[in-house]
């Protein structure tokens, strides 16, 4: 796999000094809910939101990080047994080797669990152009032609693999979880704590195209204090256990993987079916 080889070469070529961030332990006396069923991760502790996580996606775009939501978009195209997503990383944006490594490993994590294959653009008309712009944002799905995806190098946006995955998921067609049509059964949006200019970011979607249940663990969920105007929680989970989960940017959840695989019909693509 081209991405894997490049990730490996970059990793060998640079020395990355990292500070271990231990996951907080779960109080064993607290019963772990199973209401997500098949979407409940085996390692719950791995999905706890870290205390120093930043809601970097909360910019001035629609829902914080979505560009031109009304523009027509579609899914990326299939070639043989893969969904091909061409990309370019802007040489003029000044991404460091470490940041490029994180971008490529974010792509790799999506590739490993789906039929999606990110590849360096050759002469494809449709491609993602990853650059350091104003904040962290992306279009939804394939918009055709040159498609910018901003990862600001001076913020957590260009330095967090989980945030990069979040933006790549948008570019693949996945939207936010907190706007899911069934969200009122799982979370409460406290408008008393919301900025007035941000209330439009919490309008529920009319339908969920994948017809899948709500997912607290999703990497596409916003955190407890999203767009808060006063430092109080704006997103409150009905089951308090999940208050420590929502907004995590550690891993794709089982539900995220299921959503992507269903959207791109990976099960039938992988066995070579022409019509899915």
């Amino acid at each position: 796999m081209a991405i894997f080889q490049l990730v490996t070469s970059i990793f060998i070529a640079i020395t990355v000094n990292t500070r271990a961030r231990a996951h907080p332990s779960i109080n064993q006396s607290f019963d772990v809910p199973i209401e997500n069923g098949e979407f409940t991760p085996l390692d719950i502790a791995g999905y706890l939101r870290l205390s120093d996580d930043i809601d970097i996606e909360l910019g001035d775009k629609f829902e914080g990080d979505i560009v031109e939501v009304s523009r027509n978009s579609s899914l990326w195209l299939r070639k043989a047994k893969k969904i091909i997503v061409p990309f370019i990383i802007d040489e003029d944006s000044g991404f460091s080797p470490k940041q490029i490594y994180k971008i490529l490993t974010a792509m790799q994590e999506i590739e490993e669990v789906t039929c999606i294959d990110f590849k360096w653009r050759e002469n494809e008309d449709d491609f993602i152009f990853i650059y350091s712009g104003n904040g962290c944002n992306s279009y939804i799905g394939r918009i055709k032609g040159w498609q910018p995806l901003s990862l600001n190098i001076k913020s957590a946006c260009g330095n967090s693999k989980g945030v990069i995955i979040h933006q790549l998921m948008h570019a693949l067609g996945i939207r936010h979880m907190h706007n899911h049509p069934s969200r009122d059964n799982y979370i409460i949006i406290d408008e008393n704590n919301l900025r007035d200019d941000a209330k439009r970011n919490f309008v529920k979607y009319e339908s969920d195209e994948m017809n899948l249940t709500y997912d607290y663990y999703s990497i596409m969920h916003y955190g407890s204090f999203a767009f808060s105007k006063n430092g109080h929680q704006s997103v409150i989970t009905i089951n308090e256990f999940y208050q420590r989960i929502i907004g995590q940017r550690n891993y794709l959840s089982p539900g995220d993987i299921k959503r992507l695989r269903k959207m791109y019909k990976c099960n039938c693509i992988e066995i070579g079916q022409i019509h899915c």
Side-chain angles (χ1 to χ4, degrees), residues 110-128:
I110 294 174
E111 288 181 332
E112 288 177 344
V113 292
T114 67
C115 56
I116 293 164
D117 188 11
F118 293 95
K119 64 182 292 289
W120 292 98
R121 185 213 179 198
E122 296 176 355
N123 56 6
E124 294 87 355
D125 293 330
D126 304 338
F127 63 96
I128 297 173

Side-chain angles (χ1 to χ4, degrees), residues 21 48-56 160 247-250:
R21 286 169 45 171
L48 287 175
R49 181 182 170 95
L50 302 177
S51 59
D52 55 346
D53 277 348
I54 302 173
D55 287 320
I56 195 64
S160 165
Q248 68 85 15
R249 295 294 179 265
N250 304 329

Side-chain angles (χ1 to χ4, degrees), residues 158-177:
N159 294 282
S160 165
K161 183 177 65 175
V163 173
I164 296 169
I165 291 175
H166 181 103
Q167 295 307 316
L168 291 172
M169 292 284 279
H170 279 324
L172 292 170
I174 303 295
R175 301 186 67 175
H176 290 130
M177 183 56 58

Side-chain angles (χ1 to χ4, degrees), residues 81-143:
K81 294 185 180 182
K82 292 290 184 180
I83 301 296
I84 303 300
V85 183
F87 71 93
I88 289 176
I89 298 178
D90 180 32
E91 294 181 354
D92 296 328
S93 285
F95 289 106
S96 69
K98 182 178 179 180
Q99 289 168 328
I100 293 174
Y101 175 75
K102 287 189 176 181
I103 293 170
L104 297 179
T105 52
M107 293 177 176
Q108 182 184 349
E109 289 197 12
I110 294 174
E111 288 181 332
E112 288 177 344
V113 292
T114 67
C115 56
I116 293 164
D117 188 11
F118 293 95
K119 64 182 292 289
W120 292 98
R121 185 213 179 198
E122 296 176 355
N123 56 6
E124 294 87 355
D125 293 330
D126 304 338
F127 63 96
I128 297 173
F129 181 78
I130 300 173
Y131 76 112
S132 177
N134 182 18
C136 182
N137 47 74
S138 172
Y139 286 87
I140 295 290
R142 178 176 66 98
I143 64 170

Side-chain angles (χ1 to χ4, degrees), residues 142-153:
R142 178 176 66 98
I143 64 170
K144 300 182 181 179
W146 175 80
Q147 177 167 336
L149 186 156
S150 174
L151 300 173
N152 186 276
I153 62 173

